[in-house]
Amino acid sequence: MKYLTVKDLDTLFRGSLNYLGQKREEVNKLNVFPVPDGDTGTNMYLTLKTAIESIDKANPKNLKEYGKIFCEGTLIGGRGNSGVILSQIIKGFFDVIDNVEKIDVKFFSMALQNATKIAYQAVIKPVEGTILTIVRSMAQASLEAINKEDFIEFLSYIVEEAKRTLEKTPQMLPVLKEAGVIDAGGQGLIYLFEGGLKSLKGETISEVKEKVYDETIKAESLEFKFDTVLLCYLNNYPEDVIKKDLEQFGDSIVVATANDLTKIHIHSNEPNKVIAYILDKGEIKEARIENMQLQTEEFAQKTMEKPKKIESRFDFSIVAVAQGEGFKKIFESLGVEEVIEGGQTMNPSMQDILNAIEKCSKDTVFVFPNNSNIILAANEAKKYSNRKRVEIVPTKNPAQTIPIILNFNQEKSIENNLSKAVDMIKKINIAEVTYSVRNTTINGLDIKENDFIGLFDDNILTKGTTPEETFLSLLQTVKEKLQNAEFISIYYGKDVKKEDGEAMVEKLSEIFKDVEFDLVYGGQPFYYYIASIE
Amino acid sequence: MGRIFISERAIKKIAAFAATECYGVVGLAPKTIYNRILRVLKLEEYESGVDVEIVDNDTLIISLFVILQSGINVLEVSNTIISQVSYVVKNLTGIKNVDVNVIIKGIKGEQ
């Protein structure tokens, strides 16, 4: 093939469209810049699709007409940033075509150069490492290959060069490097050319059907079990021969060479034979074999475990706000239907609380705000909830909530339980250990920033050098108030080691002989220890 | 512990640079009505092509006065500007709600 006619060009673009359609999900996944919305592949595909559709409608006779309609199509259909750039590239490409019937290699090269020029014109500060870099490298490659007579050879050279440039995009653009990907737009453009090249060669690229997302993944038996990746030196052994030979071992074969290093990817049942084959041809640098069967089984198991719905055993549902995975787990095990993430630094909004209330199964919902700052939002949510009866139990701390829930009686009425809960709040004392965020003097204590402080019912009473020491001195300070105490449940935070907590509880048990101590993981941030005293 | 102040001027600069990095934007134009002759702003005058309204500590409204390349899908480019500028400003300043208005002051011809 020495030149392209209108018909060939049409074949080329239709091939591009279908190939891009197949690869668009892959391209979408690459998208990191500038906004990580992951739609580059789809945008480019839809842009091209509009153009092809307008060609179908207008049925142009000559190249000039074809170009005009195609440009209009991409202009109108141009979606997203990549679509707009693509439309400019196409526009630049067809701009130079005037009264010619055949595009030869030289003409194609000229068109690509103009495409680059037009594409760069529309931006003040071109960012390198994007689709613009790729189209420029294509134009450059077309100049290098201008002496090739065969169009397919010429186009293959351009695609190969562009791929090489694409590999370098992470070096040009730091965001790509950080994300560990290559540029999405550039990849899309290369697929566009690659698809065109394939269809010019006479390969048929099947049209894509719209995929249904969110398929449930089942543990199915795979035809080929092992995902095998080999990095090897093959001493210029021809890639296509290797590819052909590998077909006997499995599918999904990819052979790619960069510098001397060749990367081989294959799904196979006999990775040992693959390795033996490659060793016969050259040297292996690295090998990685993964069992996909087990992976999918694991994945399916994980997804199956996920939905677990807690149903309240009382006549009412319980919603609680908590921070820390330990508290979350405790609440769930106690039958709290909805645990809202939030706490000291991150207050949930009224809407969050309302949403949680709406999700509950029973008509009456008890809300435990577990923080004085959230009580207000909870009261607001109560006002706005018209489908459910909402009752707020104004707890100031998750540690308070746990004994209250434990004391609920499912045989008693809702009112009875509620009044009992509100009564209990006053009876449960809370001891906390946290750190100071600034220098201050309070209750005669001179507190420095980052000092550990002990709070008893929200009053700062002690300070210390370790959380454990602070907690010990805190309890000793309020000794008189603990005379009637029976249980002290201590919830340790995520910055505390379990052993430290255990050592502290041992000491505490010696000092307070009549009290039963319990140490549980709360996982809360900022507070080293939270304890409820009953 | 201390406070952080971000001046309007700084936000304008951030927005202007983010906008000029968008594909299809060939320049910013002065927003004032006194400058009746349309011209492309120089780099050091960028902030006069941006308007910033500070609603509260978490909310900003930015208006950008831009000149676009001709023969380009104006709507798509504008949408890109909105998402990109809003993303960059949010990311760099930590301000939660950033609304962006795009006012197209002109189209630059091909030659």
Side-chain angles (χ1 to χ4, degrees):
Chain A
M1 191 185 278
K2 287 193 176 163
Y3 47 79
L4 297 178
T5 60
V6 184
K7 220 171 140 243
D8 295 328
L9 206 61
D10 193 52
T11 320
L12 186 145
F13 281 122
R14 277 172 207 277
S16 305
L17 177 72
N18 291 341
Y19 198 60
L20 207 54
Q22 285 177 7
K23 298 282 187 184
R24 71 184 202 203
E25 277 309 310
E26 186 188 313
V27 176
N28 282 348
K29 280 187 193 132
L30 294 174
N31 199 354
V32 289
F33 189 78
V35 184
D37 44 7
D39 56 1
T40 299
T42 308
N43 282 340
M44 292 181 85
Y45 172 75
L46 290 175
T47 306
L48 210 56
K49 201 176 167 201
T50 329
I52 296 280
E53 275 167 8
S54 50
I55 291 287
D56 281 343
K57 254 182 249 161
N59 201 11
K61 303 255 161 5
N62 57 42
L63 257 178
K64 201 181 170 188
E65 244 178 80
Y66 188 92
K68 197 170 157 247
I69 293 160
F70 203 91
C71 286
E72 272 174 23
T74 51
L75 178 63
I76 296 159
R79 301 200 195 194
N81 205 22
S82 48
V84 171
I85 303 178
L86 183 61
S87 81
Q88 287 301 96
I89 291 172
I90 301 263
K91 187 178 154 217
F93 184 84
F94 281 112
D95 254 3
V96 286
I97 293 166
D98 201 17
N99 292 329
V100 281
E101 281 316 306
K102 294 166 186 168
I103 302 174
D104 61 8
V105 172
K106 290 197 177 69
F107 214 95
F108 197 90
S109 168
M110 211 160 85
L112 268 181
Q113 283 164 51
N114 196 51
T116 312
K117 194 183 133 207
I118 297 288
Y120 268 89
Q121 224 169 48
V123 63
I124 323 170
K125 280 187 277 175
V127 184
E128 287 304 323
T130 63
I131 184 169
L132 292 174
T133 313
I134 302 300
V135 72
R136 203 189 59 211
S137 86
M138 282 179 169
Q140 185 71 35
S142 76
L143 273 179
E144 287 163 18
I146 208 151
N147 291 327
K148 291 197 194 320
E149 290 212 330
D150 184 46
F151 215 95
I152 298 203
E153 246 177 65
F154 170 73
L155 217 50
S156 316
Y157 182 81
I158 294 177
V159 171
E160 287 309 314
E161 277 301 308
K163 276 188 189 165
R164 218 157 290 162
T165 313
L166 184 69
E167 290 297 320
K168 287 183 206 147
T169 52
Q171 269 88 51
M172 302 179 198
L173 202 54
V175 272
L176 295 175
K177 201 171 187 178
E178 264 168 47
V181 294
I182 45 177
D183 179 60
Q187 178 72 77
L189 190 67
I190 287 171
Y191 281 146
L192 193 151
F193 270 78
E194 223 178 348
L197 179 65
K198 274 180 200 279
S199 68
L200 276 187
K201 276 185 195 161
E203 290 176 34
T204 42
I205 303 162
S206 60
E207 239 175 272
V208 275
K209 289 169 197 83
E210 296 298 323
K211 236 166 112 193
V212 185
Y213 296 102
D214 288 319
E215 286 176 274
T216 37
I217 294 162
K218 289 179 216 133
E220 55 190 58
S221 58
L222 298 162
E223 194 186 347
F224 295 108
K225 264 179 25 187
F226 295 102
D227 180 41
T228 313
V229 178
L230 301 171
L231 284 175
C232 43
Y233 298 103
L234 291 175
N235 309 325
N236 299 326
Y237 199 83
E239 275 180 26
D240 37 335
V241 177
I242 290 179
K243 224 166 167 176
K244 273 252 153 60
D245 285 352
L246 284 176
E247 274 167 18
Q248 55 180 311
F249 303 120
D251 68 355
S252 305
I253 299 160
V254 179
V255 180
T257 309
N259 299 334
D260 301 335
L261 201 60
T262 306
K263 187 175 180 179
I264 293 170
H265 172 266
I266 182 172
H267 291 170
S268 167
N269 279 332
E270 301 155 317
N272 51 338
K273 285 192 185 167
V274 177
I275 291 172
Y277 168 82
I278 298 296
L279 277 179
D280 192 38
K281 303 285 180 284
E283 201 64 58
I284 292 180
K285 185 173 176 248
E286 254 180 72
R288 199 193 72 219
I289 300 164
E290 274 171 14
N291 190 329
M292 295 186 292
Q293 177 84 50
L294 292 179
Q295 279 175 355
T296 43
E297 273 168 19
E298 256 172 48
F299 190 76
Q301 224 166 25
K302 263 187 208 157
T303 41
M304 266 156 68
E305 275 171 9
K306 217 179 166 185
K308 69 167 184 221
K309 185 75 199 145
I310 304 154
E311 190 155 330
S312 179
R313 58 185 188 280
F314 309 110
D315 294 338
F316 48 86
S317 299
I318 303 170
V319 169
V321 183
Q323 205 165 13
E325 43 180 321
F327 274 117
K328 206 173 159 193
K329 276 205 184 115
I330 298 166
F331 282 143
E332 277 170 358
S333 68
L334 289 175
V336 173
E337 281 190 19
E338 290 291 329
V339 180
I340 306 165
E341 187 80 20
Q344 197 57 30
T345 49
M346 195 182 65
N347 293 339
S349 68
M350 192 272 289
Q351 192 64 45
D352 293 337
I353 299 172
L354 199 59
N355 288 347
I357 291 171
E358 296 296 327
K359 273 191 228 162
C360 288
S361 59
K362 303 283 162 62
D363 288 333
T364 306
V365 181
F366 282 15
V367 179
F368 290 86
N370 289 338
N371 191 310
S372 45
N373 296 336
I374 303 170
I375 295 177
L376 217 70
N379 276 322
E380 283 297 303
K382 179 180 176 174
K383 273 188 221 156
Y384 282 98
S385 171
N386 36 26
R387 291 200 296 158
K388 287 189 176 164
R389 181 184 157 197
V390 179
E391 295 298 343
I392 313 287
V393 185
T395 49
K396 290 183 178 169
N397 201 297
Q400 261 177 334
T401 304
I402 292 164
I404 294 176
I405 297 178
L406 285 172
N407 263 316
F408 279 146
N409 189 337
Q410 61 192 103
E411 274 152 30
K412 295 258 170 70
S413 69
I414 294 173
E415 279 71 26
N416 193 309
N417 275 320
L418 180 65
S419 62
K420 214 162 123 195
V422 176
D423 277 351
M424 269 187 80
I425 295 178
K426 292 171 204 145
K427 288 182 193 152
I428 300 167
N429 297 106
I430 293 292
E432 291 161 311
V433 175
T434 182
Y435 61 92
S436 173
V437 289
R438 62 190 147 96
N439 298 345
T440 183
T441 309
I442 204 162
N443 292 345
L445 285 170
D446 188 20
I447 294 163
K448 298 258 158 26
E449 192 182 324
N450 291 333
D451 269 355
F452 296 103
I453 47 175
L455 295 89
F456 189 80
D457 287 345
D458 290 339
N459 295 318
I460 301 178
L461 294 181
T462 58
K463 65 165 189 170
T465 46
T466 67
E468 289 74 28
E469 182 203 313
T470 316
F471 192 80
L472 274 169
S473 65
L474 177 67
L475 286 196
Q476 275 168 330
T477 322
V478 294
K479 218 169 182 176
E480 314 86 71
K481 289 184 187 164
L482 296 182
Q483 274 166 359
N484 299 324
E486 287 173 35
F487 302 106
I488 298 182
S489 310
I490 303 164
Y491 304 91
Y492 63 98
K494 67 171 184 180
D495 301 323
V496 175
K497 283 194 199 121
K498 198 182 176 192
E499 299 84 64
D500 293 344
E502 278 167 350
M504 182 183 76
V505 167
E506 228 166 83
K507 277 187 206 159
L508 281 170
S509 319
E510 282 170 26
I511 302 168
F512 302 95
K513 292 225 163 61
D514 304 331
V515 186
E516 211 172 289
F517 287 94
D518 204 2
L519 187 73
V520 189
Y521 177 60
Q524 71 276 13
F526 310 116
Y527 287 87
Y528 298 96
Y529 294 104
I530 300 178
S532 66
I533 302 155
E534 297 168 63
Chain B
M1 273 189 283
R3 288 156 159 245
I4 299 169
F5 296 98
I6 304 173
S7 74
E8 250 179 58
R9 209 179 127 95
I11 290 168
K12 280 180 181 174
K13 273 264 154 100
I14 294 170
F17 279 108
T20 50
E21 269 186 9
C22 291
Y23 191 85
V25 178
V26 290
L28 295 174
K31 65 188 175 203
T32 52
I33 47 165
Y34 306 107
N35 279 312
R36 304 201 71 177
I37 307 155
L38 182 69
R39 61 187 185 95
V40 178
L41 290 174
K42 293 188 196 100
L43 191 70
E44 59 272 18
E45 330 171 290
Y46 267 7
E47 65 248 40
S48 59
V50 191
D51 208 11
V52 173
E53 189 189 325
I54 298 170
V55 180
D56 58 47
N57 271 345
D58 278 334
T59 317
L60 275 186
I61 301 172
I62 297 172
S63 299
L64 289 158
F65 298 80
V66 296
I67 299 171
L68 304 184
Q69 174 71 16
S70 77
I72 219 165
N73 194 326
V74 165
L75 197 66
E76 283 303 322
V77 172
S78 305
N79 279 329
T80 309
I81 298 171
I82 290 171
S83 66
Q84 188 159 336
V85 171
S86 148
Y87 174 78
V88 169
V89 175
K90 276 182 203 167
N91 239 9
L92 295 183
T93 62
I95 294 165
K96 283 184 203 112
N97 309 311
V98 180
D99 287 352
V100 178
N101 298 322
V102 174
I103 295 115
I104 299 155
K105 285 285 250 186
I107 301 283
K108 192 186 157 206
E110 266 152 60
Q111 256 74 47

